[in-house]
Amino acid sequence: MLETSDLSATLRMIGEENLDVRTVTLGVNLNRCVSDSPEQLAQRVYDRLCQTAERVVPVANEVGARYGVQIVNKRLAISSASILLERHAGNLDAAVALAKAMDRACETVGIDLLGGYSAAVHKGMTPGERTLIESLPKALSATKHVCSSINIGTTKAGINAGAVDLVSRKILETAEATKEQRGFGAAKIVVFANQPEDNPFMAGALLGAGEPDTVINVGVSGPGVVKRALDRLFAQNPNCTLDEIAEEIKHTAYRVTRVGELIGHEVATLLGVPFGILDLALAPTPRVGDSVGEIYQAMGISKLGAPGTTAAVMLLNDAVKKGGSFASSAVGGLSGAFIPVMEDHAIEEACTAGTLTLEKLEAMTAVCSVGLDMFLVPGDIAPETIAGMILDEAAIGVTNRKTTGVRVIPVPGAKNGDYVNFGGLFGAGTVTSPVCPDGSAMFVRHGGHIPAPIHSLSN
């Protein structure tokens, strides 16, 4: 039983510490919409989404107003769209029409973003999955709300290097297709290893196999709350230990989790669908005071990227997970600390200053919740360089039995040092390259698979 009295301490902090429910995401299974006719498929998908999601926005707004908690985004996560394209293999027009139908449905019901224009190709690639990947430049340039995720590796299967090569080229083509928006289309593509099937956050939201027909998943974010909690701790005890810092983060994560679970259950009950999971992810926004990077600075990492930064990430991520797990038995998704460069002003400033490089970010991804996220690169970057970045991140995830992802954004016409602003939650940043952008092309072009690690044999 959830007691609202448990939430009082956190609710007092909402106004000044940027605590919000970042997203209420309705998962919708679309497999029943399959059709041999592209036109009928698109219409069935549109009708199913509109009928299922028509009350999401008003219900979320009602619940948020009742508890005084802002619910920032209302989103949809669908079953993998590649399944719907198996009967339309090679028909890119059918794939684009499907994406447009999803986009129209979002407009009709007031949904912010839709995730699940996706394919899982970690062990092989079906005709429908290849069609979806091939369609990404046209589909994402023709839609506003649709996001895509591609899973190219798992600890059990290894890494599909051939798929990585194809996806890398499509990322570049998508950026070029949206060059008038500085390559923004690529910001709606994330490439995963060990993709979770219940993640409510974009661009990787998906209703995976084994999930209910419809389900509510909630993403809560409170980096400002954690930062202010640490500020109070340091004011009381400037000489506190790392153990005490971890304890404070854990207790704060507990309170934030209780808020999210209450909101999620209320929304699910009013919609008449099951409550799935709470994703306790410290997902920053570009606002000052809503930054994960500021938490590391509060811990004593005055320059992000300095030795010790990775350890600070590990401490924060672990404490958040422990606090959330104690507060709820339904914690899932990507729960932990995100480090999206463009969406976190402190991390972006460190990258611009040069103290935080892509290579140091890669090290941090070994102990954070996702991977290389919202990282701007020059528009003339080689596809093999993007493929190498994806392979490196996938290797970290596959070996360590964790989720890693890459959301890299080539900016057409941009060079190192150029500044790009997407606005809103997507933020802004400086175009940066790997320290050594060349030299891996021969390795990447081998294709095939990187076999699963020996510890995948766990049965």
Side-chain angles (χ1 to χ4, degrees):
M1 177 67 69
L2 291 172
E3 298 290 343
T4 54
S5 59
D6 293 341
L7 309 174
S8 57
T10 303
L11 291 176
R12 288 196 302 267
M13 299 186 288
I14 290 171
E16 62 187 64
E17 296 177 4
N18 295 314
L19 173 63
D20 56 51
V21 173
R22 187 57 49 83
T23 178
V24 166
T25 301
L26 175 68
V28 182
N29 191 303
L30 295 181
N31 291 345
R32 69 182 67 179
C33 300
V34 66
S35 173
D36 289 328
S37 163
E39 295 77 16
Q40 189 176 59
L41 170 62
Q43 188 62 48
R44 286 180 177 179
V45 166
Y46 174 83
D47 291 343
R48 166 80 167 147
L49 291 175
C50 289
Q51 292 165 6
T52 309
E54 62 180 349
R55 295 178 59 235
V56 171
V57 173
V59 166
N61 289 339
E62 174 190 338
V63 173
R66 182 186 307 164
Y67 290 100
V69 179
Q70 183 185 15
I71 299 177
V72 180
N73 293 290
K74 296 85 178 176
R75 296 167 171 170
L76 293 176
I78 62 168
S79 52
S80 182
S82 63
I83 296 171
L84 301 175
L85 294 173
E86 292 299 345
R87 297 187 183 183
H88 306 281
N91 188 343
L92 298 189
D93 290 338
V96 174
L98 175 62
K100 288 181 176 180
M102 296 173 182
D103 208 53
R104 289 198 310 274
C106 291
E107 292 282 353
T108 300
V109 298
I111 291 294
D112 298 295
L113 293 171
L114 178 149
Y117 194 75
S118 304
V121 294
H122 44 274
K123 203 169 185 179
M125 192 181 303
T126 68
E129 289 162 349
R130 179 175 288 277
T131 300
L132 184 140
I133 294 171
E134 294 278 5
S135 76
L136 288 176
K138 291 184 177 180
L140 297 186
S141 63
T143 57
K144 177 181 178 182
H145 305 279
V146 176
C147 296
S148 178
S149 56
I150 312 295
N151 194 67
I152 50 79
T154 69
T155 297
K156 285 288 187 181
I159 305 169
N160 186 343
V164 170
D165 179 63
L166 174 61
V167 171
S168 300
R169 296 177 189 281
K170 294 305 166 182
I171 289 173
L172 272 171
E173 291 176 21
T174 301
E176 185 62 30
T178 55
K179 61 183 177 182
E180 293 183 359
Q181 294 82 43
R182 306 304 303 274
F184 178 70
K188 299 190 292 177
I189 304 172
V190 58
V191 186
F192 276 117
N194 291 323
Q195 180 177 13
E197 298 182 329
D198 54 8
N199 165 33
F201 283 101
M202 297 297 169
L206 174 73
L207 185 77
E211 292 291 307
D213 192 48
T214 56
V215 63
I216 283 290
N217 295 322
V218 173
V220 180
S221 181
V225 174
V226 174
K227 167 64 163 51
R228 290 294 292 273
L230 291 181
D231 287 344
R232 288 191 295 270
L233 173 65
F234 299 140
Q236 296 167 4
N237 182 9
N239 298 316
C240 62
T241 65
L242 294 178
D243 313 70
E244 293 167 323
I245 292 172
E247 280 296 305
E248 186 64 33
I249 295 170
K250 188 168 65 175
H251 288 299
T252 303
Y254 171 88
R255 294 196 300 271
V256 173
T257 302
R258 299 295 278 177
V259 173
E261 184 155 12
L262 176 67
I263 298 296
H265 276 284
E266 287 277 338
V267 172
T269 298
L270 290 175
L271 290 175
V273 302
F275 174 70
I277 61 95
L278 174 74
D279 190 322
L280 180 64
L282 295 185
T285 70
R287 292 179 296 178
V288 174
D290 197 30
S291 161
V292 173
E294 288 181 359
I295 298 174
Y296 305 136
Q297 291 170 335
M299 289 182 188
I301 304 293
S302 60
K303 293 183 178 181
L304 298 182
T309 302
T310 303
V313 176
M314 179 265 184
L315 185 155
L316 175 63
N317 203 52
D318 180 69
V320 166
K321 290 179 183 291
K322 286 175 178 174
S325 297
F326 185 69
S328 171
S329 60
V331 172
L334 293 164
S335 296
F338 289 8
I339 50 173
V341 176
M342 293 184 68
E343 296 171 2
D344 188 303
H345 81 92
I347 293 176
E348 189 279 320
E349 288 170 2
C351 289
T352 298
T355 64
L356 186 58
T357 64
L358 184 145
E359 287 71 21
K360 183 62 175 181
L361 279 166
E362 182 181 296
M364 293 161 64
T365 64
V367 294
C368 79
S369 280
V370 195
L372 291 175
D373 197 12
M374 293 297 288
F375 193 87
L376 296 165
V377 294
D380 61 357
I381 191 171
E384 292 84 2
T385 303
I386 295 177
M389 294 165 63
I390 295 171
L391 288 173
D392 284 346
E393 275 301 304
I396 290 172
V398 165
T399 300
N400 291 289
R401 301 186 180 96
K402 71 181 296 290
T403 299
T404 50
V406 173
R407 191 159 45 146
V408 60
I409 306 165
V411 182
K415 303 296 182 183
N416 285 337
D418 289 351
Y419 188 77
V420 176
N421 190 345
F422 288 148
L425 290 177
F426 289 95
T430 301
V431 176
T432 312
S433 290
V435 171
C436 181
D438 304 316
S440 61
M442 289 183 63
F443 176 78
V444 170
R445 289 171 187 159
H446 284 300
H449 280 76
I450 296 178
I454 186 64
H455 56 252
S456 67
L457 303 176
S458 57
N459 289 338

